[in-house]
Amino acid sequence: MSSGDRREAAPAAGEVKNGVVSGDLSQRQIQSEPASGVVAPSQNQRLRLNPSKDHKPESYDDMQLDFSPSIFSSLERYLPPPMLGLNREEKVKFMREILMKYLPQGERTRVQRHRDYRQKIITNYQPLHRELYNLHIGNFFVPPFVKAIQDNTEESFRSIISEPSPGVFTFEMLQPRFCELLLAEVENFEKWVNEAKFRIMRPNTMNKYGAVLDDFGLETMLDKLMETYIRPLSKVFFAEVGGSTLDSHHGFVVEYGKDRDVDLGFHVDDSEVTLNVCLGKQFTGGELFFRGTRCEKHVNTGSQTEEIFDYSHVPGRAVLHRGRHRHGARATTSGHRVNLLLWCRRYFCFLYFFSS
């Protein structure tokens, strides 16, 4: 079998695929199991089934918390209506009790260690381009994309989006200047990591190069990107996986080329919806290949002719697809390719289930 055939072959059962294990429980499924003996909240304290769309959550960035501040901001939208008017301290107390009850001890320990790790980076790393850390519409996105989101209709979305293969959506998104600044910021972070001899966590189990953007301060900006720009699209195009209720993300960059990762095997993502945007630089190869969406039980099955699709990256152009849409990346044959990935998730659905 040729190397190309091996890349396109379905992964074996039990093989790790970007954090998802075929034929086994994902990490988020394991997290959803409550500790034994937990007593559910009382009737008037039950979380909402769907988030409050009109409620603007508070910021918790200035508080010392067990979990990421963005988790509390996201969970606040699920609070019962009587609690939305409480002060931050009271809301934090209630939300923290829920998180502590339904996350196993091992996961709580992992979360705390990751928070300490992230805080150590943010305390010592000096950003190169601070304008990246707040979402600037005019500086980040191309005008047609901004207008489509502001109009917020399926018609406006389809006016800028192509669907070259079922479930794969492509559109122009990022301005060249933003791509340049983010590339420079990532290079600056990697330089700091090397000089400080700091060991960083890589984006996932398959990529040996790249960085988690959330870990060095870009989490709030990426949260707003997901909430304001990706969630409206997902509401229309990925309603079947709860696209309107995406409430958390994992944001990172991956790097391919000489002295970097070369290709990426056949896999699915640990997300409901995945945004993939090429940042540059100059490169050849690196095409994405898609092979259809499958449930967890059938992830290893073959592909129909209409499911086979190859996509060539263009800097600034985005690809949006379901996390369970099977895909991979062919070899980057020359140059250096960097992509921004945003895995968008529904993190808090299980909390409602256990508090009902």
Side-chain angles (χ1 to χ4, degrees):
M1 181 181 291
S2 69
S3 59
D5 291 333
R6 285 196 296 273
R7 283 199 298 273
E8 295 187 17
E15 180 180 345
V16 175
K17 310 179 295 300
N18 273 15
V20 179
V21 182
S22 173
D24 201 353
L25 290 175
S26 71
Q27 181 63 34
R28 287 187 294 136
Q29 287 175 301
I30 294 171
Q31 292 173 7
S32 66
E33 298 177 1
S36 60
V38 171
V39 179
S42 62
Q43 177 71 27
N44 64 349
Q45 292 180 320
R46 290 179 180 175
L47 296 177
R48 299 167 57 100
L49 174 60
N50 295 308
S52 174
K53 298 178 181 178
D54 298 327
H55 177 69
K56 183 178 181 180
E58 300 194 56
S59 171
Y60 297 91
D61 292 339
D62 61 327
M63 301 181 72
Q64 294 296 319
L65 304 168
D66 302 276
F67 306 95
S68 168
S70 65
I71 290 180
F72 287 89
S73 294
S74 295
L75 183 55
E76 184 179 321
R77 289 194 176 94
Y78 291 84
L79 293 180
M83 298 197 68
L84 294 178
L86 300 179
N87 61 46
R88 285 197 310 167
E89 287 72 19
E90 291 173 314
K91 285 187 283 192
V92 162
K93 180 180 179 182
F94 176 75
M95 291 187 286
R96 182 180 180 277
E97 287 177 354
I98 290 176
L99 291 168
M100 295 297 285
K101 281 181 179 179
Y102 297 110
L103 287 180
Q105 180 60 48
E107 176 62 14
R108 279 182 267 166
T109 301
R110 188 198 68 80
V111 168
Q112 184 58 50
R113 286 177 178 173
H114 193 190
R115 179 162 174 73
D116 293 342
Y117 159 83
R118 186 174 289 183
Q119 187 59 45
K120 184 177 180 180
I121 293 177
I122 293 174
T123 300
N124 293 281
Y125 174 66
Q126 296 299 316
L128 180 64
H129 296 295
R130 292 190 178 274
E131 60 266 40
L132 290 172
Y133 292 74
N134 292 291
L135 195 64
H136 296 287
I137 297 173
N139 296 334
F140 283 23
F141 308 116
V142 296
F145 176 73
V146 174
K147 185 178 186 307
I149 298 297
Q150 290 175 340
D151 291 346
N152 196 27
T153 66
E154 182 173 350
E155 182 181 4
S156 69
F157 298 158
R158 291 193 181 278
S159 70
I160 63 164
I161 289 178
S162 299
E163 189 177 4
S165 182
V168 179
F169 300 91
T170 68
F171 49 95
E172 298 295 333
M173 182 180 181
L174 299 179
Q175 292 195 19
R177 178 59 177 162
F178 172 80
C179 294
E180 293 171 4
L181 292 178
L182 187 54
L183 285 170
E185 189 68 44
V186 171
E187 290 177 358
N188 186 63
F189 175 67
E190 291 179 339
K191 179 181 178 182
W192 173 81
V193 166
N194 291 329
E195 292 177 348
K197 300 188 184 321
F198 193 89
R199 184 175 179 272
I200 67 169
M201 297 181 185
R202 294 304 178 183
N204 53 63
T205 58
M206 296 184 74
N207 288 100
K208 297 179 181 179
Y209 296 89
V212 179
L213 301 178
D214 300 317
D215 286 346
F216 60 96
L218 288 165
E219 181 180 25
T220 300
M221 184 274 283
L222 293 175
D223 256 339
K224 292 179 180 178
L225 170 62
M226 181 194 68
E227 293 172 3
T228 307
Y229 295 93
I230 304 308
R231 194 157 62 195
L233 297 176
S234 299
K235 178 181 179 180
V236 171
F237 300 115
F238 302 106
E240 72 280 5
V241 292
S244 64
T245 58
L246 300 175
D247 54 31
S248 62
H249 75 267
H250 175 48
F252 56 96
V253 294
V254 291
E255 300 184 55
Y256 296 88
K258 185 179 180 181
D259 300 325
R260 297 289 191 276
D261 289 318
V262 177
D263 56 14
L264 189 64
F266 188 89
H267 68 281
V268 297
D269 297 337
D270 187 12
S271 68
E272 271 65 58
V273 177
T274 293
L275 173 74
N276 186 338
V277 193
C278 182
L279 301 176
K281 304 177 178 180
Q282 297 293 322
F283 61 89
T284 58
E287 300 87 353
L288 287 180
F289 59 90
F290 290 91
R291 296 297 182 262
T293 303
R294 296 290 187 276
C295 68
E296 190 150 344
K297 292 183 179 179
H298 299 93
V299 71
N300 298 319
T301 59
S303 301
Q304 302 297 318
T305 301
E306 63 271 16
E307 294 178 317
I308 298 174
F309 172 65
D310 287 15
Y311 170 80
S312 297
H313 288 290
V314 177
R317 189 167 180 83
V319 182
L320 196 67
H321 61 86
R322 281 186 57 174
R324 296 210 64 81
H325 202 132
R326 304 175 301 170
H327 61 286
R330 301 189 189 284
T332 297
T333 52
S334 69
H336 184 193
R337 178 171 69 85
V338 184
N339 281 53
L340 164 66
L341 276 296
L342 194 68
W343 287 355
C344 304
R345 299 162 167 166
R346 299 173 67 204
Y347 187 84
F348 295 113
C349 294
F350 74 88
L351 291 177
Y352 175 85
F353 175 80
F354 288 114
S355 64
S356 299

